[in-house]
Structure formats: C-alpha cells, structure tokens
Amino acid sequence: MSDLVTAKDLTVRYGGQTALTHVDFHIAPGEIVTIVGPNGSGKTTLLRAILGAIPATAGRIVRAPNLRIGYVPQRLHIDLTLPLTVRRFLDLPRRVRDNDAAAALDQAGCAALADRQMTKLSGGQFQRVLLARALLSKPNLLILDEATQGLDQPGSAAFYQLIEDVRDRTGAAILMVSHELHVVMAASDRVICLNGHVCCDGRPEVVASAPEYRALFGTGTQGALALYRHEHTHSHDADDIHEAAE
Amino acid sequence: MTGLLDDFMTRAALAGVGTALAAAPLGCFIVWRRMAYFGDAVAHAAVLGVALAFGFSLSIFVGTLVAALAMALSVSALSGRGHGVDTILGVLAHGALAAGLVAVSFIEGVRIDLEAFLFGDILAVGRDDLVVIWGGAIAVLAVVFWRWSAMLTATLNPDLAFAAGIDPRREDRLLTLALAIVVAVAIKVIGALLITAMLIIPAAAARVFAGTPERMAVIAAGIGCTSALGGLYGAYYLDTPAGPSIVVVAALFFVCASLIDLARRAPR
C-alpha cells in the first residue's frame, strides 16, 4: 500500500527561524510512528506542516487522496466563557449521530462523560474526549502531539494502550510526538529522532542504539532517564553512518 | 403599515432590536476569543470613518465600514511584532478615536453633531437607516449562521480546524468582516464609544445560563433585545440619553446574572 503522507526534502521557516531542514518523512497505513527529539527540535512544526497549518518553505508534502486526519492537539485551552458539553464538542466541526458519538466515547473509554462541561474535566478525561472526537471522522491517520502531557504514569501508559487498541481495531496509522521515550519506544513500529533535521530513523531498538540518538538522549534505560539532561546542540560523530544536513 | 414606521419610537425600537440581534452571536465570539479590546479598537475607528464619510461625501455606513476594516487589518498586521497585543490595541484604539475627533473638526461647511456618533442617536433613526441596520444585521446573522461550526472550531484551536479541512484564517476574516458591519450598523444606534458594550455585556450575562454555545448566543440575543427596548423605554420616560440607557439595562442584566451565579456556587 502506498504511503498516507510523504514529505520530501522539507524545509520550514517559521517566525524567522528555520525549524526544519531537509526532512524526509513518510508514514504507511496502519503504522505507528513516533517522533522524539529535544524541545525546539521541530516536532510540532513537522506535525503542523503535515496538517497543512504551516506552509513548506522548500520541498513538498504529498498527501494521499483518501487521507482523513484525526488530530489530538498537545493542549486545548477552552475559555471559561465558552459553555461546551462533551457531546456538543464531538459535533465540531460536523454534527454526528448520537449513536456514533456514544460509540466514540466508549471506544476512548469515557462513555459516561457526554453531558459534562469540557472545562470541568480532569486532564486524563479531557485527553480521552479529544481522542474520541478525533476518532469520529473515521481517520486513517491519527496525529497526536504529546497527548499524554499532564497525565501521571499509569494514566499515560493506559492512554498509549488505548491508542494501540485503536490502531488494531480501525487500522488507522498513528503519528505521535512524545517525550515519554520508554513507553513510546515499546509501542512504536518506527521512531524518528528529530533535531531540526532527521537525526536517525528506524525500528525502536535500532534508533535507541544509534549514536545520534544517544548524543541527544544519552544511553540510560533506553534514554528515558536522560530526558532532562540532553543537549540542544550536538555534533555528529557518525556522519559516515548517515548524512545529516546541518 | 406606513403609519407604524412614522412613529419615531417604533423606528428606534426596530433599530435597537436589529442591532442587538446582530451583536449577540458576534459578541459571544468576541467573549470566547478574548477580543474585547479588538472590538473597542474597531469601534473607535468608526469615528474616523465618520470624518472620512463627510470628507469624501460617502454614506456614514460606507465610511465607518471602511475605517473599521482598515483598523482590523492594521491590528492583524502589527500583532506579533515585538509589542504586546494589548499595547497595540491600546495605541490603535485611542489613536483612532483621537484622530477621528481631530479629523471631524477639520470638516467645514457641515455641522456634525459629534455626540450623535459617540453616543448614538437612536431616536433620530429614519427609514433609510432602518434599511441599512436590518440589511446589515441580516447579513451578519446569515454569515454567522452559515459558518457557525467552522468558526467555533477555529475559535477552539486553529490546528483542529486545519486538521478538519477548515482554514481558520478564513473564519477569522469573516468574523472581522461581520464585526465591521456591526460597528457600521450600530454607530447610529448606540454610538462608537458604547458599541463594544452591546457586543460583550449580553454575551457575558448569557454565559451564566447557557450550557452550549448555541444557547449562549440565543440568550444573549434575548438579553440584548430586552436591553434595547428597556433602555429606550427608560430614556423616553426618564428623559435620559438612549444609547447609554440601553447599556445600563444590559449591565443590570449582567449584575443579576452574576449574583445568580454567585448564589448557585455558594456552599449550602
């Protein structure tokens, strides 16, 4: 099957800064791909370019004609002045049937929340509702931007389990950005390590042992503990392994 | 039928209700998007538009519409360039108001009743004005009704809109256009200084009673219309200025709504 989204030699300048340089990217149907990388490495920019929210400065993005994206944003601030029940939220941007709404809430594990106000939900409930809404468009590509931010560890583990279930049940490809490397690594088919460019790319165990990845995240427990002491700039000691464009 | 519109109070009531209906759903978006100061800046620019209209012999509606749109575009162009948005809005809102007042003083030959444009002159609304007001109101309601879901999605989160195939920038532009029309329509009714009040106060009061965005817009429309009629009635019997009286009634609604909200939240 052909790829859902392909980016070729993608460069994005945004707000006067070059966020991405010469990025090649692709995702196939049913694949779970995770993007990891330090803060400011262009992870969210790549997602937004794929969504069409930021234009490519150079290079191009090709989307499959049948592409249907379900998007779960990093955080969604709902102003307290906006009254919005969970059920009504699911109707955005298109009205959905009550049966479908109930099924999506059930699938996301938050069936009891339909009549609650969005602003009164806990962090975990909120993320599940966002996921339910994203599922309603019957996406073949589900994009999640650090969807477990603000969840505790059992909460985020359960959330990733849920996402894997969604993939298994619906066959949707999953593209996510995450900081929680140890969990993500286990659940992904492929990991892309990003730092303005693609540092390395491949199966989780391959990426975890790649020098570029270690330069960014260190070596401890597949990088999970190194999260808070990574360097923002790094040199490529292994340019003979792959060619990085810096 | 002709007799009915001969009465200045009937015309004033129709003008007030038309403005309130258009302002209500738009006011909700302004509250949700925290654009109150943006509304102020656009409304104050309308005074400059009045001067423009007299200077170039345009209709007041066209002059204020052009000035309001120009202001909205300037705000977008200047945002995100080093100054805080509230600073930019403060500069532009008051700059435009002052420039408008100065510009009006340059216009010779025509005696302009400035107060009428600052505080509205609803009792002097003519048949032509009614056509403009209701035409504008219906246009605004049609746009908001047609784009409601897309505008709501864009208000929640631009990326959510992009992912759903909606261009949030287009929805922003439509909202801005609708706001400019409301300003151009409302200047005769309520005046440049108090237009924002008619947008925001009914919406803010309605928030307390609403569980969904649609209900909030409908309740805001109800509060807006009641305020317009109540304010007119009060102005007639108490001989107070009509525009400010309408806003006072709306503000009373807000006070009552806030008290009800407080009582609801109070521990029993």
Side-chain angles (χ1 to χ4, degrees):
Chain A
M1 271 198 282
S2 59
D3 288 332
L4 292 168
V5 177
T6 317
K8 286 210 171 67
D9 205 20
L10 178 70
T11 295
V12 176
R13 266 190 283 281
Y14 182 67
Q17 291 196 314
T18 303
L20 296 171
T21 26
H22 305 295
V23 168
D24 288 325
F25 168 85
H26 66 97
I27 185 164
E31 205 179 12
I32 298 187
V33 176
T34 301
I35 305 173
V36 299
N39 288 333
S41 61
K43 303 185 297 287
T44 297
T45 304
L46 179 57
L47 292 194
R48 297 190 72 214
I50 291 169
L51 289 176
I54 315 178
T57 310
R60 61 200 183 98
I61 297 175
V62 183
R63 299 179 184 84
N66 65 344
L67 180 68
R68 282 185 315 280
I69 293 178
Y71 175 56
V72 179
Q74 186 170 21
R75 56 177 177 271
L76 185 63
H77 171 75
I78 294 187
D79 202 278
L80 280 176
T81 58
L82 176 56
L84 194 63
T85 59
V86 168
R87 177 65 189 85
R88 181 63 188 89
F89 176 68
L90 297 181
D91 274 331
L92 290 174
R94 272 170 277 283
R95 293 209 175 266
V96 292
R97 290 202 310 257
D98 280 343
N99 285 344
D100 294 339
L105 287 175
D106 194 39
Q107 199 175 5
C110 50
L113 299 178
D115 296 327
R116 298 274 295 276
Q117 283 287 319
M118 290 293 288
T119 46
K120 300 264 167 72
L121 299 180
S122 74
Q125 291 171 332
F126 199 95
Q127 288 311 117
R128 283 167 185 268
V129 170
L130 285 180
L131 179 64
R133 197 204 70 98
L135 292 175
L136 274 168
S137 62
K138 306 244 181 303
N140 50 10
L141 174 59
L142 193 59
I143 297 184
L144 303 106
D145 188 358
E146 303 203 30
T148 57
Q149 230 185 19
L151 300 192
D152 58 15
Q153 207 150 14
S156 59
F159 194 80
Y160 284 119
Q161 185 59 51
L162 186 61
I163 287 169
E164 245 186 305
D165 290 349
V166 166
R167 194 269 305 260
D168 294 343
R169 257 183 293 177
T170 67
I174 315 273
L175 173 62
M176 53 187 172
V177 158
S178 186
H179 268 135
E180 287 159 304
L181 302 175
H182 52 302
V183 192
V184 162
M185 287 295 215
S188 307
D189 298 322
R190 195 151 56 83
V191 173
I192 296 169
C193 177
L194 201 66
N195 192 24
H197 57 276
V198 176
C199 293
C200 48
D201 172 4
R203 295 168 54 79
E205 56 273 21
V206 175
V207 169
S209 58
E212 296 82 12
Y213 177 83
R214 293 188 172 188
L216 278 175
F217 292 105
T219 50
T221 55
Q222 291 206 327
L225 297 175
L227 201 56
Y228 300 103
R229 52 179 172 82
H230 64 247
E231 303 274 333
H232 280 252
T233 54
H234 64 287
S235 61
H236 284 270
D237 311 319
D239 273 350
D240 52 330
I241 295 177
H242 80 141
E243 285 192 358
E246 271 196 299
Chain B
M1 195 63 205
T2 46
L4 191 64
L5 287 179
D6 284 342
D7 178 29
F8 75 97
M9 275 305 275
T10 310
R11 291 196 302 269
L14 283 173
V17 168
T19 308
L21 284 180
L26 202 60
C28 290
F29 277 109
I30 287 179
V31 167
W32 297 333
R33 292 173 164 235
R34 306 197 163 208
M35 282 168 48
Y37 282 103
F38 182 74
D40 251 353
V42 172
H44 287 180
V47 177
L48 200 56
V50 170
L52 205 70
F54 278 101
F56 293 92
S57 327
L58 300 166
S59 78
I60 299 287
F61 178 77
V62 173
T64 47
L65 189 66
V66 167
L69 281 177
M71 172 57 85
L73 290 178
S74 322
V75 173
S76 323
L78 286 174
S79 297
R81 299 206 176 174
H83 293 291
V85 174
D86 59 337
T87 306
I88 291 171
L89 288 173
V91 170
L92 288 177
H94 299 104
L97 182 59
L101 295 175
V102 169
V104 166
S105 76
F106 276 123
I107 292 167
E108 291 169 12
V110 196
R111 198 188 64 84
I112 299 177
D113 180 7
L114 197 56
E115 211 174 297
F117 295 107
L118 290 179
F119 298 109
D121 197 6
I122 192 170
L123 298 178
V125 164
R127 283 155 185 270
D128 301 352
D129 296 321
L130 272 185
V131 170
V132 169
I133 289 168
W134 275 89
I138 288 168
V140 166
L141 286 174
V143 166
V144 172
F145 190 77
W146 167 50
R147 302 302 303 170
W148 181 261
S149 261
M151 284 176 172
L152 207 50
T153 309
T155 298
L156 275 182
N157 182 295
D159 288 348
L160 221 54
F162 273 119
I166 297 164
D167 186 345
R169 291 164 300 191
R170 186 177 110 130
E171 307 308 325
D172 291 355
R173 283 195 294 270
L174 280 172
L175 274 174
T176 305
L177 179 67
L179 177 62
I181 293 176
V182 165
V183 165
V185 156
I187 188 164
K188 179 87 183 180
V189 175
I190 200 95
L193 290 186
L194 290 173
I195 288 171
T196 324
M198 265 322 264
L199 287 164
I200 288 172
I201 300 177
R207 169 64 184 98
V208 176
F209 307 107
T212 61
E214 291 75 20
R215 233 166 278 164
M216 180 160 154
V218 169
I219 295 172
I223 292 176
C225 291
T226 314
S227 304
L229 296 176
L232 267 178
Y233 184 84
Y236 187 77
Y237 284 99
L238 303 173
D239 195 25
T240 50
S245 303
I246 292 172
V247 174
V248 166
V249 176
L252 287 176
F253 268 109
F254 178 77
V255 171
C256 292
S258 305
L259 289 176
I260 290 171
D261 193 36
L262 269 179
R264 260 196 224 155
R265 283 161 196 250
R268 275 155 232 247

